[in-house]
Amino acid sequence: MSWTVARDKAFTDVVSRGSLTASAASDHTVKADIRGLEPATDYWFRFSAGGTDSPRRAPAPRRRRTRT
């Protein structure tokens, strides 16, 4: 399977991409360790396998409020 991370829904501003192979040894699961993403930035990610894409939006984490 392959994965793509972009800053926009149309995937014209791709920031990272790669591919992984699932096997019986890993229960046919994969884990993408994507690095270099900017904090407080929304990203779209897409996983592709067997001719099917699954685009999703990953919202930026909210800043924690500090109590004074």
Side-chain angles (χ1 to χ4, degrees), residues 37-61:
L37 301 179
E38 296 294 322
T41 304
D42 289 344
Y43 290 99
W44 288 81
F45 61 93
R46 175 173 57 204
F47 295 100
S48 303
T52 303
D53 293 337
S54 64
R56 300 281 188 256
R57 181 174 169 261

Side-chain angles (χ1 to χ4, degrees), residues 15-52:
V15 296
S16 191
R17 65 174 41 137
S19 62
L20 300 163
T21 302
S23 67
S26 64
D27 293 327
H28 299 283
T29 60
V30 295
K31 178 181 177 184
D33 186 10
I34 303 166
R35 296 173 185 250
L37 301 179
E38 296 294 322
T41 304
D42 289 344
Y43 290 99
W44 288 81
F45 61 93
R46 175 173 57 204
F47 295 100
S48 303
T52 303

